[in-house]
């Protein structure tokens, strides 16, 4: 989704801004722009639709100089993908603005500003920020005061950075509902929507909090809270490893990230589980006491993270003996729900910034949940800061928009949570041992599973010309079938639906013909015989099946069924193991179709608007 980079320095900042935008490309966008101020106050603004490289080419062909600057990648919400709608937006060549989020009352503001004589040159909500700040400046006072007065007029979400040509040595930034991080340099300071953008220039960050407004110059950073009072915000040293230019020899980030899964899962388990079980306090101070009181778990998430939560529901009820509900964040936040006694709210998110999940957490706090835990991949993100407990998935930076390693580390984290809660709610010794032993075998099992890549590449050939597909699974493999279908949709644009296979006869069987490939996930578990009956139902109706099966499950290939053997694994980790072949299938189908694997059309990595 939209990305922001800004800098106040002595040197020319244009390369820093462009490099920052490139590092944010993975979030998804459709146009990009930059505005630069020279110490004289001379303003240069360049905007382009398409990739950041097109902006960089335009910058290279002109004289783009500036020691203060702001830059942006836009993911269109209000107004089409055009140069005039790309950020930065300006008011009277004086105020320049970049903005993430949505100003919901922009129409009313636009009307009022037009009545005051302002002319709008774009269709965006963002342009109202530029003119509102400009109008406030006309009343006298500093840029900081003008921004503080302006934000009181905005409804909605914003992370915004504002420059004034008449005061070219500072920027003012404001955050409400859309994250911003200040990067501290030596004699220069930076701002971005994501720390990833600033890693080449600093590792010291201040994460702004809701309602914060900050004034940034080369040498100073002053932060003011929602009441306009000066506040100290903690400086955090980031240890994120990320070289955005490095695909590690792989053709795409997604493929690299699929192959990283054995390593990142090993990292996720390190110093958390040993042969005897979970190590103490891995969920942080106070967690044990909270877990000892838990009677119900409510999980909230979106997309792939939602599928991780769906899988966790099977585990928490089967092994930890605790009741669990799961809901999509965008539904939860807009309906009246009943809070169970001693209910723990668990959010899951790769980015930690998903607007709907964050709003659901805030709502849950008002509703009176006993406590909140987030399972998240980004330290310092909004969900981490606003939850009572946080548990990091340690997947490392995930650049491909389609989530892969973030998902399998989320599942790994949920197995640890199952052990931690189960300890207080009656997990059996046998189940505890079986989960611990399965977790130990997991990294090696994932390595072994990746060796079946060749068979999947061949399979993808048969698949790539299809328009529709069905994914089937049962029990804790049903969410894995859903995740497999989502992956295929996202990157190959083939329509894919997932069903719990017992549900087939209640409608979806009508779709079966030779043009509808049916993908089945079939570990050797207690539901195998039931699943085999569902497979026969498809076969009897002329369906063509692709079955990912445990080698002991006794499926054999014939003219209607192609079987791909998956290494045998213990039951608790089967959902994690079976995820990998489905990720690989999507990847190789997309490769044949020639789609943009890492940045699929219309999608964004971090969905910071609702
Ligand atoms: C997954 O491939 C998608 N990119 C998407 O469904 C994603 O999982 C969803 O938007 C939630 O994101 P989060 O994990 O950052 O909250």
């Amino acid at each position: 989704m939209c990305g922001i980079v800004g800098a106040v320095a002595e040197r020319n900042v244009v390369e820093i801004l462009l490099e920052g935008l490139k590092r944010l490309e993975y979030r998804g966008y459709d146009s990009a722009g930059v505005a630069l101020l020279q110490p004289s106050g001379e303003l240069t603004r360049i905007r382009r639709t398409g990739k950041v490289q097109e902006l960089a080419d335009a910058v290279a062909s002109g004289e783009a100089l500036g020691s203060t600057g702001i830059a942006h990648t836009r993911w269109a919400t209000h107004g089409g993908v055009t140069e005039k709608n790309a950020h930065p937006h300006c008011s009277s060549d004086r105020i320049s603005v970049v903005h993430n989020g949505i100003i919901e009352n922009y129409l009313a503001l636009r009307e009022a500003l037009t009545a005051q004589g302002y002319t709008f040159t774009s269709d965006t909500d963002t342009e109202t920020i530029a003119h509102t700040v400009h109008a406030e400046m006309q009343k006298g006072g500093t840029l900081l005061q003008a921004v503080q007065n302006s934000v009181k007029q905005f409804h909605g979400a914003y992370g915004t950075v504002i420059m004034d040509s008449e005061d070219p040595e500072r920027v003012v930034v404001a955050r409400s509902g859309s994250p911003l991080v200040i990067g501290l340099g030596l004699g220069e300071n930076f701002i971005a929507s994501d720390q990833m953008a600033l890693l080449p220039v600093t590792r010291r960050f201040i994460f702004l909090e809701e309602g914060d407004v900050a004034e940034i110059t080369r040498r100073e950073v002053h932060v003011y809270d929602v009441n306009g009072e000066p506040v100290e915000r903690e400086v955090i040293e980031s240890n994120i490893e990320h070289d955005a230019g490095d695909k590690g020899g792989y053709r795409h980030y997604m493929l690299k990230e699929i192959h990283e899964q054995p390593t990142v899962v090993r990292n996720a388990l390190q110093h958390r589980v040993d042969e005897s079980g979970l190590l103490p306090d891995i969920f942080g101070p106070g967690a044990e006491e909270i877990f000892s009181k838990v009677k119900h778990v409510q999980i909230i998430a979106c997309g792939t993270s939602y599928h991780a939560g769906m899988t966790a529901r099977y585990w928490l009820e089967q092994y930890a003996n605790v009741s669990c509900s799961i809901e999509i964040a965008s539904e939860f936040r807009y309906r009246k729900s009943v809070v169970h006694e001693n209910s723990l709210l668990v959010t899951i998110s790769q980015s930690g910034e998903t607007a709907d999940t964050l709003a659901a957490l805030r709502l849950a706090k008002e509703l009176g949940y006993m406590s909140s835990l987030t399972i998240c991949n980004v330290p310092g993100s909004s969900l981490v800061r606003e939850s009572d407990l946080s548990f990091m998935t340690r997947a490392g930076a995930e650049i491909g928009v389609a989530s892969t390693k973030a998902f399998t580390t989320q599942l790994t984290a949920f197995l640890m949570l199952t052990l931690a809660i189960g300890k207080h709610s009656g997990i059996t010794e046998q189940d505890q041992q079986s989960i611990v032993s399965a977790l130990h075998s997991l990294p090696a099992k994932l390595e072994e599973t990746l060796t079946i890549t060749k068979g999947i590449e061949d399979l993808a050939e048969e698949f790539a010309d299809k328009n529709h597909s069905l994914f089937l699974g049962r029990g804790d493999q049903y969410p894995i079938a859903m995740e497999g279908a989502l992956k295929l949709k996202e990157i190959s644009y083939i329509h894919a639906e997932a069903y719990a296979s017992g549900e087939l006869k209640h409608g979806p069987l009508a779709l079966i013909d030779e043009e509808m490939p049916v993908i089945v996930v079939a570990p050797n578990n207690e539901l195998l015989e039931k699943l085999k009956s569902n497979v026969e139902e498809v076969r009897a109706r002329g369906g063509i099946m692709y079955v990912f099966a445990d080698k002991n499950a006794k499926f054999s290939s014939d003219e209607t069924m192609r079987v791909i053997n998956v290494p045998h694994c213990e039951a608790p980790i089967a959902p994690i193991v079976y995820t990998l072949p489905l990720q690989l299938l999507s990847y190789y189908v997309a490769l044949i179709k020639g789609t943009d694997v890492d940045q699929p059309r219309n999608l964004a990595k971090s969905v910071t608007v609702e």
Side-chain angles (χ1 to χ4, degrees), residues 302-305 349-351 354 401-403 486-487 490 607:
C302 305
T304 288
S305 296
S349 174
Q350 186 285 130
S351 62
T354 302
V401 165
S403 199
L486 178 64
K487 285 286 90 77
E490 279 185 296
V607 186

Side-chain angles (χ1 to χ4, degrees), residues 438-582:
L439 283 173
H440 277 292
S441 69
L442 182 55
K445 202 50 81 179
L446 295 179
E447 261 156 29
E448 195 185 339
T449 306
L450 286 170
T451 63
I452 63 175
T453 298
K454 182 71 188 92
I456 297 172
E457 274 183 79
D458 295 345
L459 173 63
E461 296 277 352
E462 296 177 31
F463 222 89
D465 64 337
K466 301 289 189 262
N467 294 318
H468 308 278
S469 58
L470 271 184
F471 284 68
L472 302 180
R474 287 196 86 131
D476 60 12
Q477 293 288 346
Y478 168 43
I480 302 311
M482 292 177 78
E483 174 59 10
L486 178 64
K487 285 286 90 77
L488 192 69
K489 276 185 268 211
E490 279 185 296
I491 62 166
S492 76
Y493 316 149
I494 293 175
H495 172 224
E497 292 292 333
Y499 279 94
S501 51
E503 187 66 10
L504 266 190
K505 59 180 94 55
H506 301 290
L509 268 183
L511 295 170
I512 300 296
D513 64 18
E514 63 284 358
E515 286 308 310
M516 171 74 85
V518 179
I519 297 92
V520 184
V521 270
N524 191 7
N525 62 17
E526 71 285 355
L527 290 171
L528 181 63
E529 292 311 317
K530 302 274 176 210
L531 183 77
K532 283 187 170 175
S533 304
N534 302 140
V535 163
E536 290 311 317
E537 290 163 8
V538 175
R539 193 202 296 273
R541 284 151 187 91
I544 306 292
M545 281 169 291
Y546 302 91
V547 183
F548 292 92
D550 186 290
K551 62 176 193 287
N552 305 322
K554 299 202 175 72
F555 281 97
S556 44
S557 294
D558 56 29
E559 64 283 2
T560 60
M561 180 153 68
R562 172 108 173 244
V563 179
I564 300 96
N565 281 326
V566 178
H568 175 72
C569 63
E570 292 169 77
I573 56 168
I576 310 179
V577 170
Y578 279 74
T579 296
L580 271 55
L582 300 186

Side-chain angles (χ1 to χ4, degrees), residues 234-527:
E234 192 186 354
V235 177
I236 291 171
E237 198 84 32
S238 169
N239 56 8
I240 287 192
E241 300 271 344
H242 174 222
D243 183 348
D246 181 13
K247 293 193 184 121
Y250 290 95
R251 188 160 166 187
H252 293 99
Y253 284 112
M254 183 182 177
L255 190 60
K256 176 183 174 229
E257 288 157 3
I258 289 172
H259 282 270
E260 279 173 352
Q261 289 176 108
T263 306
V264 295
V265 163
R266 195 172 281 120
N267 290 345
L269 292 167
Q270 200 172 32
H271 305 309
R272 287 171 165 172
V273 188
D274 69 11
E275 293 67 28
S276 58
L278 279 193
L279 298 177
D281 297 329
I282 63 166
F283 284 88
E288 276 299 310
E289 204 194 327
I290 292 167
F291 292 166
S292 72
K293 294 182 190 144
V294 168
K295 290 210 163 66
H296 181 78
V297 177
Q298 171 69 58
I299 303 176
I300 304 287
C302 305
T304 288
S305 296
Y306 172 74
H307 297 150
M310 276 187 77
T311 316
R313 184 172 68 118
Y314 286 91
W315 289 336
L316 284 163
E317 298 211 339
Q318 176 177 346
Y319 300 122
N321 206 25
V322 68
S323 69
C324 177
S325 339
I326 159 99
E327 191 160 5
I328 294 166
S330 55
E331 287 296 311
F332 177 83
R333 64 181 288 193
Y334 287 119
R335 74 177 184 89
K336 183 179 175 299
S337 59
V338 175
V339 183
H340 294 241
E341 190 193 345
N342 284 11
S343 191
L344 173 69
L345 191 280
V346 179
T347 58
I348 323 148
S349 174
Q350 186 285 130
S351 62
E353 302 294 350
T354 302
D356 285 321
T357 312
L358 198 50
L361 168 66
R362 290 174 184 159
L363 172 67
K365 285 181 176 176
E366 286 168 26
L367 292 176
Y369 277 83
M370 180 181 74
S371 191
S372 60
L373 161 71
T374 191
I375 293 177
C376 188
N377 195 38
V378 180
S381 60
S382 300
L383 279 170
V384 169
R385 281 182 287 108
E386 295 188 30
S387 300
D388 300 325
L389 302 171
S390 58
F391 191 72
M392 291 303 123
T393 45
R394 301 182 184 162
E398 189 179 69
I399 306 297
V401 165
S403 199
T404 52
K405 61 177 182 170
F407 179 63
T408 43
T409 52
Q410 286 171 343
L411 292 176
T412 307
F414 268 123
L415 276 178
M416 289 186 264
L417 183 67
T418 302
L419 289 171
I421 292 181
K423 192 173 116 187
H424 302 281
S425 54
I427 189 170
T428 64
E429 185 61 29
Q430 193 187 358
D431 282 343
Q432 188 174 320
Q433 278 311 320
S434 127
I435 294 174
V436 170
S437 126
L439 283 173
H440 277 292
S441 69
L442 182 55
K445 202 50 81 179
L446 295 179
E447 261 156 29
E448 195 185 339
T449 306
L450 286 170
T451 63
I452 63 175
T453 298
K454 182 71 188 92
I456 297 172
E457 274 183 79
D458 295 345
L459 173 63
E461 296 277 352
E462 296 177 31
F463 222 89
D465 64 337
K466 301 289 189 262
N467 294 318
H468 308 278
S469 58
L470 271 184
F471 284 68
L472 302 180
R474 287 196 86 131
D476 60 12
Q477 293 288 346
Y478 168 43
I480 302 311
M482 292 177 78
E483 174 59 10
L486 178 64
K487 285 286 90 77
L488 192 69
K489 276 185 268 211
E490 279 185 296
I491 62 166
S492 76
Y493 316 149
I494 293 175
H495 172 224
E497 292 292 333
Y499 279 94
S501 51
E503 187 66 10
L504 266 190
K505 59 180 94 55
H506 301 290
L509 268 183
L511 295 170
I512 300 296
D513 64 18
E514 63 284 358
E515 286 308 310
M516 171 74 85
V518 179
I519 297 92
V520 184
V521 270
N524 191 7
N525 62 17
E526 71 285 355
L527 290 171

